[in-house]
Amino acid sequence: MSELSINTTQNVKINFIAASAGERIGSYFIDLVIKIAYGIVVYLIFFNWLNLDLLFKNLDQWSVGTILLGFYFPVMIYSLTLESIFEGQTIGKKLNKIKVVKIDGYQAGFGDYLMRWFFRLIDISIFNGIIALITVVSSKKGQRLGDMVAGTSVITLKNKINISHTILEEIEETYVPTYPLVIKLSDNDMRIIKETFLRAEAKNDYEIIYKLVHKIENVTGIKNQSIGDPTGFIRTVLKDYNFYTQNM
């Protein structure tokens, strides 16, 4: 298992463990079972119960091919669609607790998932996964060819890490939030904020802390109600984000 260091846009280094080849293969087969199940359901509904195959006898080869492609299309875009919706995870990846991330610290976008999806033809489909297996095992960052082109990698979320290394904050049951606009921020934003804040606080670097406060205010529209207490403001933002995301 290789360690993956990601430098965020705030120059904060976060260490992850790259997903193993076994984890990625396991996720692939879970997704494959889901695709096969979809195909069986389509066959039972349209070809067994509705006898769509009788209609095919009256159609030319191109029309039949177009209809079959329409049925198969959801399978073709399965990984692209789910990774875009679930921010780097398919159902198989969710169950195996692995996720696609950008290695430059930015949030992976549709273009990145599209590039990974396109190169599945080479990595997995054409060569039966051999290219993907070789590149994942030999790459220092656990990348298949599609990851290398898209600038992504797949990490495991099973790391045993302390709460201080995550975006989580301990909040009391009676906690009352102050800034509802924190929901404009993403998990990735909060991770960057917390990492930057902890590093600056450890060094008593109040210049960075004040810059972080101004950045939060500009992005969210929040106005710091704790004038003269920038550290208290950031701690409140972290707790408020946890409160709203855990109770939405």
Side-chain angles (χ1 to χ4, degrees):
M1 241 179 247
S2 58
E3 188 170 289
L4 179 65
S5 294
I6 295 179
N7 285 311
T8 71
T9 53
Q10 299 293 329
N11 200 30
V12 177
K13 182 178 286 186
I14 303 175
N15 295 322
F16 296 101
I17 301 298
S20 67
E23 289 173 316
R24 296 180 69 151
I25 291 172
S27 299
Y28 170 80
F29 278 106
I30 291 173
D31 290 328
L32 180 61
V33 168
I34 293 172
K35 294 175 185 178
I36 292 173
Y38 166 82
I40 292 173
V41 170
V42 168
Y43 175 80
L44 289 175
I45 293 176
F46 292 98
F47 294 91
N48 194 5
W49 297 342
L50 300 181
N51 294 321
L52 192 62
D53 52 329
L54 297 178
L55 174 64
F56 286 176
K57 295 180 180 180
N58 301 318
L59 297 176
D60 61 85
Q61 187 176 2
W62 286 103
S63 298
V64 172
T66 301
I67 293 173
L68 291 176
L69 179 62
F71 285 134
Y72 186 66
F73 189 66
V75 173
M76 295 174 60
I77 63 170
Y78 171 87
S79 61
L80 173 62
T81 303
L82 267 64
E83 285 182 357
S84 300
I85 294 173
F86 298 122
E87 297 185 343
Q89 290 183 299
T90 60
I91 295 174
K93 288 185 175 69
K94 277 183 175 290
L95 293 176
N96 263 347
K97 296 183 179 180
I98 61 177
K99 179 178 181 177
V100 179
V101 297
K102 288 281 286 182
I103 60 176
D104 60 6
Y106 286 90
Q107 175 68 46
F110 178 77
D112 304 309
Y113 301 132
L114 178 62
M115 195 64 66
R116 296 183 78 255
W117 173 80
F118 180 77
F119 273 87
R120 284 174 68 91
L121 291 173
I122 300 173
D123 283 335
I124 299 172
S125 301
I126 296 177
F127 295 99
N128 297 317
I130 296 175
I131 299 296
L133 181 60
I134 292 174
T135 53
V136 167
V137 172
S138 60
S139 169
K140 292 182 179 179
K141 296 180 180 179
Q143 297 170 293
R144 64 176 176 86
L145 185 59
D147 288 314
M148 295 176 185
V149 175
T152 59
S153 185
V154 179
I155 62 168
T156 178
L157 303 176
K158 301 172 185 175
N159 300 355
K160 295 181 179 179
I161 52 179
N162 189 279
I163 190 172
S164 63
H165 299 145
T166 71
I167 65 171
L168 298 177
E169 289 288 321
E170 295 179 354
I171 53 178
E172 306 82 10
E173 292 183 4
T174 57
Y175 181 77
V176 178
T178 306
Y179 305 113
L181 289 177
V182 293
I183 60 173
K184 288 186 176 182
L185 301 168
S186 67
D187 284 356
N188 193 48
D189 294 330
M190 296 309 297
R191 182 167 56 248
I192 293 171
I193 290 170
K194 184 170 184 178
E195 291 283 345
T196 305
F197 171 64
L198 291 178
R199 286 166 62 97
E201 186 181 40
K203 297 178 181 179
N204 291 320
D205 191 342
Y206 282 92
E207 182 180 353
I208 293 296
I209 292 175
Y210 276 111
K211 287 182 179 179
L212 194 56
V213 169
H214 292 315
K215 186 67 174 178
I216 294 171
E217 289 179 329
N218 290 335
V219 171
T220 64
I222 293 173
K223 296 301 179 183
N224 182 7
Q225 297 180 15
S226 304
I227 304 300
D229 184 17
T231 59
F233 169 71
I234 295 176
R235 288 194 180 95
T236 300
V237 166
L238 291 168
K239 288 186 176 182
D240 283 3
Y241 184 82
N242 275 263
F243 176 87
Y244 284 115
T245 54
Q246 290 174 25
N247 291 279
M248 289 178 66

